[in-house]
Every structure is written in C-alpha cells, then in structure tokens.
Amino acid sequence: MRTQDGFVAARRTDWEELQGLLDRGKALCRLPPISIARAAALYRAVCGDLVHAQSAGYSREVIAWLDDLAARAHNALYSAPPYRVGAIWDLIARDFPRALRRHARFFLLGVALFVLPGLLGFVGAFHSRAFALQILSPETVAQMEKAYAAGFGQGRSGDLNAAMAGFYVYNNIGIAFRCFATGALFGIGSLFFLIYNGLVTGAVAGLVTVGGHGRNLFTFTCTHGAFELTAIVIAATAGMVMGYALVDTKGRTRFGSLRACSRDVALLVLGAALMLLVAAAIEGFWSPSAAPDRIKWGASVAAYLAVATYLTRAGRARPKPEASRP
Amino acid sequence: MGATLDNTADVDTPELVRFRYRVAGPVRRALAYLVDLAIRAASLALLYVVVALASGGGKRFSSGVMLIAAFVFEWGYYVYFETAGDGRSPGKRALALRVVKEGGFPIGFIDSVLRNLLRGADFLPVGYVLGVLTMAGDARFRRIGDRVAGTLVVIEARAGLASPLVLSPPVTADEVAGFPPRPPLSLSERETLELFLRRTELTAARREELAETIAPALAERMGVKVQDPVRFLALVHHRATSGAPVQRS
C-alpha cells in the first residue's frame, strides 16, 4: 500500500497528461487517433485511481480532483453524436410528421379547442359589438378596423413587408413557444392559449366582417393561415402531450413520464417553428400583395391541401420490395 | 461525509466507477443568467447601431431585421451556445457551470431545445419564480426545463491539486518516541487534522488555541504527553499518513 503523497506523486504525470488533452479546447474527435486512444487509456486509469483513492481513504481534496478529471474525460469520451445538416431534412421529411401522427388525438382535440371558440367569437362579435369588446380592448378594435378598411389593392411597400415579416417571426413564433412551454403545467397553459387565441381571432374576424371589410381580412389571411394556425395548434399539441404525460404516468414518476415523451415533444415544437417561418414569409410578402382575390383563394386551397398532405403522408414507410434478400 | 451532502449528483459509468458532480444552485445560475442577459442586450444594441447605419435610415427595413435578431437572441442564444460550446453559454463559462445530461453525457441539440424553450414555463409568473420553486423541490436543483430534457447544471470544480504537506523542521525520532505505529484516528479526524494543518493563514496564537482543544484528548488516547500542541498534531498527521493508509470501514 502506498501513502497518499506517494500515490499522488506517482500518478500525477498521467493526470496532467489527460488534463492537457482535455484542455486543448477542441472536440476530442478532432484529435489524431493516437491521442484519442491515449485519452481513453488515461481515462480508464483515472477511474481506477479514483476507486483506489476512495477505498484507501485519501483526503477529500484528492478525491475531488480525480472526480472532476474523470467527469470531464467521461463527458468528452462519451460525447454526443456530431451534428449534421441532414438532421434538419430528416426532421422535415420524416420525424416531425410521424411524431404528429403518433399524437393525432391531441392534435384533433387542439383543432376543436381552437375552431369552436373561434366560431363562438365570430358569431358573437358579428351580432354584438358589446360581446367583441368583452374580448378585445378598444384599442385593438380600432386598430383592426383601421388595418383592414383599406385593403391591399395597391399591395404593400417592400420595406414594410420586411418589417412585418420580422414582426411575424418575433411575435407569432414567440406565441407558439409560450403556448408550448406552459403545457408543462399539466397542459393548462396550452389549453388556455388555444381557446384564448381562438376567441380573439374569431372576434376580430366577426368585427371586421360586420364592418364590411371581411373580404380584405379573409383574402389577406387565407394563405398563410394554413401554416400559421396549424402550427399554433401543433405547438399546443406538444404542450398537451407534456401535460397529459404528467397526469397519466403509466407507472413512471411524473417527471420520468414527461421525459419519456420529451423527444416527440421537441420534434413537434421544432416542426411548428419551421412552419411558422414559412407562414411569416408568406404573411410578409404574399398575403399583402395586390394579387386578385381569386388567385389568393386558389393559393389558400393549395396551401391547406399541401399542409394536410404533408402532415398525413410524409415519412410513411414505403411498401416493401418484393424480392427479399437472402 | 460528502455522501450526505445534498448538492452532489453521483454518476455511474460503464467502467463501474462512480464519480460525483457538484450541482449548481439557484444563485450561481442566476448570476450566469445575468451575464448572458447583459451579453444579449449589448449585442442587440450594437447590432441596432450597425443596422441603422447600414440601412441609411430605412426605418422599416431595419426594424424587421431587428425583430428577427431579437427573436434569434431570445430563443436561439442558449441553444446555439449550449450545443456548440459543449453545454456552456458565455455566462455559464464565466461562472464555471456546464449543462450535462443525467449520467454525465454531453447534451445534444434536442435536449438544449427543450430545456431552453421551457424557460417559458420556468419564467412564470414573473422572473423565473416557478423555476426557482421547482429547483427548491429537487435535490439536484433542476428547473422544469431540466427535468423534461433530463439535464443538470453542474459546477466544474477545477480545484488545483495542492502540494503535499511537509513537516518543517523534519520529524526526529525523539519526538515520536512513544507514538504507536498507527495513530488511532478515524478518517474524519484525520481529514480534520489535514484541514487544520493546511490553514496557514491563521495567526500562531489562534492555531495554538485551536490545537489545544483537540491535542490533549488525542494524546490521552495514544498514551503520550503533549509539549507543543500544533507540532503534536502535525506529528500525528504525519504518522497517520506516512504509514499504511487507513481502511475505510
């Protein structure tokens, strides 16, 4: 058996070599193979040293030092898979629509919780201005009536388009992210945001319609709505999946249950964010354009069909080839 | 002993070794957050000046660019730095913090997206109140985002390895004449002695005073006489560590 000081003196050079490899600041996988092999060997040796130090009862300080070194080496050696650009394509082409189909029931529930309050808001505001003022602030009402009174017959200037696209990115994706995040509170936040957004959207539409400018509003929103409204509901779906995982734990701990669904949840939110980027581009540059109404309605139908086809068909397994391999 | 402290997290590796992380508490993490917040605010302000100058007063265009930048800084800042910087945003780096997966693995893109988007829940109702409350209910200080993503924020200790304790003047045979070959010390007693001997910043009088509280009891246990309590403790420690190491029971 060695004394602590003898042990430290004998092993110190190895430890410092490993520390040197970790301190290069580069990912370990970029080092030459011989260095990686050396780091792995040194890491195993440090693990042995740590066990020895613990069982021999060396001082806390030596153990803490070895703990830290082992932890850093472990973190570097068992590193996460490297990032690839192709992963974004996998997300779009496969992982996101599949994740949504796995949670189709929550998505449909989300659609209902958005559309029904939307209809209620529309009908209420259409028949009663007082109803609309219960939901919307007077400033919002004035702003909306002004915004859609003129229409987009002349189109909108390019730099205003850019400014608005920026606003849509900041505001709408931010709303979607909060709609998702608050789902961690047993889903309550997501449900609230869905119903609230449905009511507000419906009330604005009802109010503008009764004011006689419904055509301006609907031709403006019909195309990007396919992406934007769907994506907001998808973000809320992710929140509801989280909230439900907290309630029905399937025998796990509450947070264990949450973690089991976390990958799907992340895929849904990322997919929704990408859809909202598309929506912001359309809303910034296409929706306010001077294109005739018929073309805008046609684009809207095409957009809804494209979104529906994408979400239901993308990433389905191809039929297996006839010839089986030996 | 360390095992009973609640601010550590044990990690079992495939090598059947268990090492220990120090988990970061709310204050240290809040400080890191403030550093990051300052960096984000400063970057946005700088960008604002650059964009305003470059666009030559095209107010609407630059406001569009600024809104997109604000979005990227609000939601993308942490995700970028945590995935590209191996779990460390600049603020975390400044306070020696790192985000790791439970199990000591580096965090991936998906983990980082989850833990950072869920700031939206931790932030509620205002100023991360819910996040701090959730951390208070957890032995490993995980906020909601950490729990969903399965991550921990740990302190990278980076303590230096102190030089061995050297007795000066060197021990003479006379001084340790009556000492047993292995002083009857428990592990924690030995660690106490070591901590005491390393605290050289104390005045001589204070060292004397502290040593007197324990030296007589030790001397009685070993059946020897004490002349200089500080020297006596150093001798006992030297004897205990230069012989065969103590076995942990």
Side-chain angles (χ1 to χ4, degrees):
Chain A
M1 293 287 265
R2 279 184 290 186
T3 66
Q4 174 177 324
D5 289 340
F7 170 74
V8 171
R11 301 289 305 128
R12 192 165 194 153
T13 44
D14 272 3
W15 299 343
E16 278 163 2
E17 186 184 348
L18 180 57
Q19 198 183 25
L21 285 172
L22 296 173
D23 279 344
R24 293 264 177 99
K26 270 199 289 188
L28 209 55
C29 63
R30 303 255 162 76
L31 297 181
I34 188 87
S35 300
I36 302 177
R38 180 75 185 141
L42 287 169
Y43 164 64
R44 284 191 290 274
V46 167
C47 286
D49 293 339
L50 177 57
V51 174
H52 175 72
Q54 282 166 343
S55 63
Y58 292 153
S59 73
R60 178 103 39 92
E61 183 227 349
V62 171
I63 294 175
W65 155 266
L66 287 172
D67 253 343
D68 183 51
L69 189 59
R72 285 179 58 210
H74 177 268
N75 196 286
L77 283 168
Y78 290 88
S79 63
Y83 304 104
R84 333 170 268 119
V85 180
I88 296 179
W89 174 246
D90 286 349
L91 173 76
I92 297 171
R94 212 178 53 207
D95 295 342
F96 164 57
R98 279 184 189 169
L100 187 66
R101 288 196 294 271
R102 274 196 289 278
H103 302 285
R105 275 192 294 177
F106 286 108
F107 177 72
L108 295 175
L109 179 65
V111 170
L113 286 175
F114 184 79
V115 170
L116 295 179
L119 286 176
L120 179 72
F122 183 86
V123 172
F126 192 81
H127 288 290
S128 145
R129 196 178 170 81
F131 179 88
L133 284 167
Q134 290 288 314
I135 299 172
L136 308 168
S137 69
E139 296 85 51
T140 314
V141 171
Q143 193 196 341
M144 287 296 158
E145 286 180 332
K146 184 162 159 269
Y148 292 105
F152 299 96
Q154 308 300 315
R156 203 164 62 179
S157 71
D159 59 348
L160 182 57
N161 280 352
M164 290 312 289
F167 174 76
Y168 299 139
V169 167
Y170 179 78
N171 190 54
N172 297 359
I173 306 187
I175 287 178
F177 282 170
R178 280 186 200 93
C179 188
F180 151 71
T182 51
L185 315 175
F186 292 92
I188 292 169
S190 303
L191 296 179
F192 168 77
F193 276 114
L194 261 188
I195 296 171
Y196 174 77
N197 281 323
L199 264 179
V200 168
T201 311
V204 168
L207 208 63
V208 174
T209 306
V210 84
H213 304 296
R215 218 189 93 218
N216 292 341
L217 174 77
F218 284 107
T219 54
F220 174 70
T221 53
C222 62
T223 314
H224 65 252
F227 292 91
E228 190 174 303
L229 302 180
T230 315
I232 298 265
V233 173
I234 291 174
T237 303
M240 285 191 278
V241 170
M242 274 200 304
Y244 190 71
L246 281 173
V247 178
D248 180 8
T249 59
K250 302 200 171 65
R252 298 185 177 96
T253 61
R254 294 219 188 272
F255 281 106
S257 165
L258 204 50
R259 195 156 321 134
C261 71
S262 65
R263 190 183 147 76
D264 276 5
V265 163
L267 294 175
L268 291 176
V269 175
L270 288 172
L274 289 175
M275 286 181 72
L276 284 164
L277 281 181
V278 175
I282 299 175
E283 189 172 2
F285 297 99
W286 163 256
S287 299
S289 71
D293 289 359
R294 258 184 301 171
I295 294 188
K296 282 193 176 173
W297 282 115
S300 169
V301 171
Y304 273 98
L305 281 178
V307 168
T309 312
Y310 165 62
L311 293 178
T312 51
R313 304 305 310 169
R316 286 199 189 271
R318 293 198 185 86
K320 286 202 173 127
E322 306 265 319
S324 60
R325 286 183 188 173
Chain B
M1 292 304 304
T4 56
L5 291 175
D6 64 358
N7 62 348
T8 60
D10 287 346
V11 168
D12 291 312
T13 70
E15 289 78 21
L16 299 179
V17 171
R18 170 172 297 188
F19 54 78
R20 186 168 286 157
Y21 275 123
R22 275 173 68 207
V23 182
V27 174
R28 197 160 175 145
R29 290 174 64 173
L31 289 175
Y33 176 80
L34 290 180
V35 172
D36 281 325
L37 193 66
I39 292 174
R40 282 188 293 170
S43 319
L44 269 181
L46 192 69
L47 189 69
Y48 180 77
V49 175
V50 172
V51 170
L53 290 178
S55 69
K59 218 171 159 193
R60 284 167 163 172
F61 180 78
S62 62
S63 88
V65 172
M66 284 315 294
L67 282 164
I68 290 180
F71 171 79
V72 169
F73 274 92
E74 185 172 343
W75 297 102
Y77 174 89
Y78 280 106
V79 175
Y80 172 76
F81 281 111
E82 283 178 5
T83 44
D86 204 6
R88 287 181 299 175
S89 63
K92 290 196 175 70
R93 199 179 287 259
L95 282 134
L97 300 178
R98 187 195 287 276
V99 188
V100 295
K101 286 285 276 180
E102 287 166 0
F105 303 105
I107 68 166
F109 176 71
I110 294 262
D111 307 316
S112 185
V113 165
L114 279 173
R115 75 182 297 280
N116 287 305
L117 290 196
L118 283 164
R119 286 177 189 277
D122 280 308
F123 190 81
L124 292 174
V126 65
Y128 284 96
V129 166
L130 194 59
V132 171
L133 288 179
T134 322
M135 283 165 85
D138 185 59
R140 287 185 278 175
F141 294 133
R142 289 172 299 169
R143 59 178 178 82
I144 295 173
D146 286 323
R147 293 186 186 211
V148 177
T151 53
L152 294 176
V153 180
V154 299
I155 300 175
E156 302 226 286
R158 247 5 122 69
L161 201 51
S163 50
L165 277 173
V166 184
L167 259 175
S168 70
V171 58
T172 59
D174 284 357
E175 283 180 305
V176 291
F179 279 31
R182 274 184 59 182
L185 286 179
S186 74
L187 198 59
S188 60
E189 284 169 337
R190 213 189 66 197
E191 284 189 347
T192 312
L193 286 190
E194 176 161 352
L195 281 177
F196 169 71
L197 294 171
R198 285 191 186 279
R199 291 181 68 184
T200 45
E201 72 276 13
L202 296 175
T203 62
R206 181 67 183 144
R207 283 169 72 81
E208 189 100 349
E209 197 179 2
L210 283 171
E212 268 168 7
T213 62
I214 181 172
L218 272 181
E220 195 184 326
R221 198 191 296 169
M222 292 165 54
V224 291
K225 288 238 154 42
V226 185
Q227 269 129 26
D228 173 358
V230 178
R231 177 74 181 167
F232 173 75
L233 291 184
L235 289 172
V236 171
H237 179 264
H238 175 75
R239 192 60 177 253
T241 52
S242 58
V246 185
Q247 290 298 319
R248 207 181 270 260
S249 56

